[in-house]
Amino acid sequence: MRSLVVGISLVLSFGAGSCKPNAGSSCEKGEARCIDGKHELACEAGKFIETPCSGPRGCSTSEQGTSCDFSGDKPGDPCSADDEGAATCNSKDTMLACHGALYGIVPCRGSKGCALAEGRAACDTSIAQLNDACRDEGLKACASDGLQVLICKDHAMSTFYPCRGANGCSTNAGKLSCDTSIAKLGDPCDKKMEGQAFSCTPDGASILQCKGGAFTLDETCKSGQKCLVDGSSTHCAKPEKK
């Protein structure tokens, strides 16, 4: 798998009399050869395919192997399915990543944007928008409006659960926080919060609990009482007179 701006792949020597490989020729996983300065033969499922190396370093061969700079490739350009997840930053806030044998753009909407760290593309996906392309299944992010948590499903960001409390959804030092102190009956919730998350309904008439992946009724407040959140405690009580 290539995760560097310049992908390094194995080069196998061909003995005298061997035919020059081309697209469709047999190969071993990780094997690659330069066609010219801007194109590479990359191995995919035991057969060579042609892929572009449109970055400024192009395609070159050294003792370390074949080097393909795909930083200049475009969305929709082919990549080897064997290189699934290979990625590079193509701008300060977008990442070019190989998925399903094609390159695609992954937005990096978080404050850190996209940056190279130890030769790997680091994309800040802590903030996202609905239907954004994503690389890691199950990845969670705050929606850009701060009103809900999104989750990566089938390589697209989808609605997960709302953050109806005053603090909405926020991230700090890579940690996501969703204010679920307010919820509606039937709102989805993270199963990891099961039995731990209690919320007030918007009208303050009831306490809800995260159960089975959704907020269910836990307690209906008595007449004259309201659901109140006091620190980590959610309970029914008479509201203080102002």
Side-chain angles (χ1 to χ4, degrees):
M1 180 180 290
R2 296 181 300 169
S3 57
L4 306 178
V5 174
V6 180
I8 304 297
S9 302
L10 176 67
V11 177
L12 298 185
S13 61
F14 287 77
S18 296
C19 295
K20 183 178 180 180
N22 52 37
S25 297
S26 298
C27 58
E28 294 185 11
K29 187 173 183 178
E31 185 181 350
R33 297 179 74 86
C34 291
I35 299 174
D36 54 37
K38 288 294 183 180
H39 298 86
E40 174 195 54
L41 288 176
C43 195
E44 178 183 81
K47 299 289 184 181
F48 275 127
I49 64 167
E50 182 178 331
T51 65
C53 306
S54 304
R57 299 182 187 180
C59 189
S60 61
T61 303
S62 67
E63 293 181 357
Q64 286 73 39
T66 295
S67 172
C68 176
D69 182 354
F70 58 94
S71 61
D73 289 5
K74 299 177 181 179
D77 279 346
C79 58
S80 170
D82 291 353
D83 287 333
E84 178 78 17
T88 185
C89 298
N90 65 334
S91 77
K92 65 178 182 179
D93 53 11
T94 58
M95 180 174 71
L96 185 73
C98 178
H99 168 59
L102 295 174
Y103 283 113
I105 296 295
V106 177
C108 309
R109 300 184 190 276
S111 61
K112 296 180 180 179
C114 191
L116 291 176
E118 298 180 355
R120 299 178 69 87
C123 179
D124 186 349
T125 55
S126 58
I127 297 175
Q129 292 182 2
L130 197 64
N131 297 319
D132 271 355
C134 53
R135 187 174 61 171
D136 303 318
E137 289 292 295
L139 175 75
K140 299 172 189 174
C142 287
S144 56
D145 60 9
L147 298 180
Q148 61 179 321
V149 174
L150 303 178
I151 190 168
C152 182
K153 288 185 177 180
D154 298 324
H155 297 281
M157 296 304 291
S158 306
T159 298
F160 194 14
Y161 56 90
C163 309
R164 300 186 189 276
N167 294 322
C169 188
S170 61
T171 59
N172 184 23
K175 186 177 181 180
L176 182 149
S177 176
C178 175
D179 186 350
T180 58
S181 58
I182 303 293
K184 291 183 178 181
L185 187 66
D187 272 352
C189 58
D190 193 332
K191 289 185 178 180
K192 293 181 180 179
M193 296 158 35
E194 181 127 355
Q196 302 176 25
F198 292 86
S199 306
C200 294
T201 54
D203 61 5
S206 304
I207 297 175
L208 304 180
Q209 180 183 12
C210 178
K211 190 174 182 180
F215 277 101
T216 61
L217 182 64
D218 180 71
E219 181 183 350
T220 299
C221 295
K222 296 178 181 179
S223 178
Q225 294 185 340
K226 289 284 187 179
C227 179
L228 303 174
V229 178
D230 182 13
S232 60
S233 173
T234 303
H235 57 279
C236 293
K238 290 184 178 180
E240 294 181 3
K241 295 182 180 181
K242 296 182 179 180

